[in-house]
Amino acid sequence: MAMETTFSIIKPNAVKKNVIGAIIEKFEENGLKVAAAKLAVIPRAQCEEFYAEHKERPFFGELVDFMTSGPVMLMALHGENAITRNREIMGATNPAEAAEGTLRKLYGDSMGENAVHGSDSPASAERELKIFFTSSEMVNK
Ligand code: CMP
């Protein structure tokens, strides 16, 4: 199985709930390790670039407002099959449809405020990681 690095965000609603540690514990228990991390408030222009594929969607403005509304935890997660594994740990995009025990079931409030983001493919992971991290910041791969 391939070793991969994926991009993860602990969103503002989960940071407000003070569950950064609980979320990272789930990643670690499931074989992922934190390769890089920083707490930040994402600048609006950077957030719009990050979510560019959703630009035409009706929820785009709301999504950017929420994601820039407070601190988030930006992370690179490394491990075997990290992209798929992370998506399994997160659960379905809509917390109401997420399986028991997944991060979005545990900590998500709504489709928009769904606690965590994770890259959906190797191409997305590469693009997203580059927006927020330099290669020299990947200190624990
Ligand atoms: P995320 O994994 O961060 O990628 C895009 C985000 O858009 C997604 O999680 C959701 O939080 C949000 N999103 C997707 N569909 C909708 C929707 N129909 N209404 C509001 N937000 C949405």
Side-chain angles (χ1 to χ4, degrees):
M1 228 177 266
M3 295 302 282
E4 292 175 333
T5 306
T6 192
F7 178 63
S8 168
I9 306 178
I10 301 178
K11 297 190 179 188
N13 63 317
V15 172
K16 278 202 190 89
K17 290 179 190 184
N18 205 24
V19 291
I20 292 173
I23 289 174
I24 291 177
E25 189 170 25
K26 278 267 181 206
F27 292 139
E28 292 177 342
E29 280 171 2
N30 285 280
L32 298 179
K33 72 174 184 177
V34 178
K38 52 189 155 191
L39 264 178
V41 177
I42 306 175
R44 193 166 186 94
Q46 193 178 36
C47 193
E48 287 175 351
E49 179 194 354
F50 174 68
Y51 279 128
E53 70 180 287
H54 299 298
K55 212 175 171 71
E56 305 307 324
R57 304 275 197 99
F59 59 83
F60 183 71
E62 191 186 315
L63 176 62
V64 174
D65 286 347
F66 168 62
M67 289 299 290
T68 57
S69 68
V72 295
M73 186 74 173
L74 305 166
M75 290 181 289
L77 300 176
H78 187 71
E80 252 178 35
N81 235 7
I83 295 164
T84 302
R85 190 169 288 195
N86 181 33
R87 292 178 69 76
E88 288 167 359
I89 299 164
M90 290 192 300
T93 305
N94 186 348
E97 291 165 11
E100 288 299 329
T102 62
L103 293 175
R104 284 166 168 163
K105 180 72 173 186
L106 287 166
Y107 306 119
D109 296 304
S110 64
M111 183 80 116
E113 303 197 11
N114 60 356
V116 281
H117 166 84
S119 308
D120 63 6
S121 67
S124 296
E126 194 182 345
R127 184 188 78 85
E128 294 174 359
L129 285 165
K130 274 196 187 132
I131 294 174
F132 295 102
F133 292 105
T134 63
S135 54
S136 63
E137 288 177 310
M138 306 279 184
V139 290
N140 189 34
K141 275 174 80 172

